Amino acid sequence: MSLVLDPAAQDLLFREARTANTFTDEPVTDEQVRAIYDLVKYGPTAFNQSPLRVTLVRSPEARERLVQHMAEGNQPKTATAPLVAILSADNEFHEELPHLFPHFPQAKDAFFSERPAREGAAALNAALQAAYFIIGVRAAGLAAGPMTGLDFEGVRKEFLDDDHTPLMVVNIGRPGPDAWFPRSPRLEYEQVITTV
């Protein structure tokens, strides 16, 4: 059985997509970001939690502040990418549950009244949404450069608050010269899939 998705779309989203390390100077517009979000917001999360929050770093001053918190090898690409997004988990996502999960509004208090339960759920589900976001960037014909080489606590203090946990920083734009490292190996089906 083959996949239903067009092979060109499969290539765009997965087979030919890579983490970009250089970008052109073509800007990424708010309209493009809105289109990306309007697609990926439909990706599933538990209880429809939707805890991902995205902070777009556009101003030169904010960019300079962010670059200081990036690992040395990530600083040049973060400084020059057309757009940079800080992806974080909202640990107070449960406040939106009566709206997001209307058929069981009690879920807010029944499952998420304690902060540790919220933090665990937010981390897992926002990570799912971060993956959707990266795929959405690719669907827009752009390249994503997700990075976790950064000072997480520094980024949180500089751009977020105590209710948000940074997950990663993603550089976004059209790929520039020599944007890709060689494709790294992947595990084969038999190494991953087990039937019991």
Side-chain angles (χ1 to χ4, degrees), residues 63-120:
R63 181 77 61 106
E64 186 175 317
R65 288 171 22 228
L66 177 59
V67 166
Q68 295 175 13
H69 296 290
M70 302 303 296
E72 186 176 343
N74 292 333
Q75 290 179 352
K77 50 192 169 186
T78 303
T80 58
L83 180 62
V84 182
I86 301 168
L87 305 189
S88 64
D90 182 358
N91 296 307
E92 297 298 310
F93 69 87
H94 68 307
E95 296 295 344
E96 301 292 340
L97 283 182
H99 168 70
L100 293 173
F101 206 61
H103 50 284
F104 184 34
Q106 305 89 330
K108 172 187 172 187
D109 298 315
F111 297 104
F112 303 111
S113 62
E114 301 295 325
R115 177 74 180 231
R118 291 197 306 274
E119 288 179 349

Side-chain angles (χ1 to χ4, degrees), residues 24-44:
T24 70
D25 58 3
E26 182 180 332
V28 176
T29 67
D30 288 335
E31 291 77 18
Q32 287 172 301
V33 176
R34 180 175 294 278
I36 291 165
Y37 177 73
D38 284 342
L39 173 65
V40 304
K41 69 183 178 185
Y42 294 107

Side-chain angles (χ1 to χ4, degrees), residues 113-172:
S113 62
E114 301 295 325
R115 177 74 180 231
R118 291 197 306 274
E119 288 179 349
L124 173 62
N125 287 281
L128 281 173
Q129 288 187 284
Y132 304 148
F133 183 83
I134 292 165
I135 299 300
V137 168
R138 294 172 176 179
L142 301 170
M147 301 167 292
T148 56
L150 55 110
D151 173 5
F152 285 90
E153 184 59 15
V155 168
R156 187 193 63 74
K157 287 180 178 177
E158 191 79 39
F159 294 96
L160 306 171
D161 59 32
D162 290 340
D163 290 331
H164 293 80
T165 302
L167 301 171
M168 66 183 68
V169 168
V170 182
N171 294 327
I172 304 169

